[in-house]
């Protein structure tokens, strides 16, 4: 079943999704699901058989700014929901900040990354001498390239 994006006021996505859910249940409309994608601000995705069902359920909601938009298939929605692994965001030579472990808060340069082990080798920038450490990729946050 297709999804239809509904534009909302930024920051009010969850409120709109809850109102849509309540209306769909009370009016017995064929709305299968309502999704609030974390990386897509100002939009709610409504799964329904046709756009007229979405129009009926969003009619009169104050924080709705537009919709339904173009038809979206499930694979497009999965791309919006699935988080991007940190290992894909980091490249060799990038500056990162350690967010866990004994070197927490220090900045380091990525010397090597091993996607199979989900680890990175870092050179601590704030050390007095060259200090390389190997940490899990979950311990780092990208700062700049």
């Amino acid at each position: 079943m297709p999804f239809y994006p509904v534009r909302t006021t930024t920051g009010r996505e969850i409120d709109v999704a809850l109102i849509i859910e309540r209306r769909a249940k009370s009016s017995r409309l064929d709305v299968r699901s309502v999704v609030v994608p974390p990386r897509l601000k100002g939009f709610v995705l409504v799964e329904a058989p046709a756009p007229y069902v979405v129009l009926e359920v969003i009619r009169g909601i104050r924080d709705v700014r537009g919709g339904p938009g173009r038809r979206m298939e499930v694979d497009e929605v999965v791309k919006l929901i699935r988080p991007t692994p940190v290992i894909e965001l980091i490249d060799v030579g990038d500056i990162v900040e350690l967010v866990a472990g004994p070197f927490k808060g220090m900045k380091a340069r990525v010397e090597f990354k091993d996607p199979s082990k989900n680890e990175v080798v870092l050179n601590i920038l704030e050390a007095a001498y060259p200090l390389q450490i190997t940490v899990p990729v979950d311990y780092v946050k990208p700062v700049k390239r």
Side-chain angles (χ1 to χ4, degrees):
M1 189 164 292
F3 286 84
Y4 296 94
V6 174
R7 206 168 59 117
T8 67
T9 303
T10 304
R12 305 293 292 187
E13 298 93 349
I14 294 174
D15 298 334
V16 170
L18 292 172
I19 293 169
I20 290 172
E21 177 196 17
R22 199 173 324 122
R23 280 190 180 181
K25 284 182 181 176
S26 66
S27 300
R28 297 184 188 263
L29 292 170
D30 191 16
V31 173
R32 302 286 168 90
S33 65
V34 181
V35 180
V36 180
R39 291 185 294 175
L40 191 61
K41 300 295 180 202
F43 283 92
V44 172
L45 305 176
V46 180
E47 184 181 15
Y52 72 87
V53 175
V54 179
L55 276 172
E56 184 64 32
V57 80
I58 66 172
R59 180 177 292 136
I61 299 177
R62 185 176 54 164
D63 291 316
V64 170
R65 297 291 172 238
R70 69 169 186 86
R71 176 186 176 127
M72 296 176 71
E73 296 303 324
V74 175
D75 56 337
E76 293 176 273
V77 175
V78 169
K79 288 178 188 175
L80 293 172
I81 296 172
R82 183 177 295 138
T84 306
V86 177
I87 195 87
E88 292 179 9
L89 299 175
I90 297 174
D91 290 322
V92 174
D94 288 356
I95 305 297
V96 296
E97 181 181 346
L98 288 146
V99 294
F103 299 102
K104 181 178 180 179
M106 292 187 167
K107 295 200 182 341
R109 175 175 280 113
V110 178
E111 298 296 324
F112 177 75
K113 71 176 188 176
D114 188 0
S116 63
K117 293 183 181 178
N118 209 25
E119 292 181 340
V120 289
V121 176
L122 304 174
N123 189 6
I124 304 291
L125 297 175
E126 299 169 11
Y129 54 91
L131 176 63
Q132 283 193 340
I133 59 171
T134 302
V135 297
V137 77
D138 299 334
Y139 282 26
V140 299
K141 173 179 77 173
V143 175
K144 65 179 180 180
R145 295 188 170 260

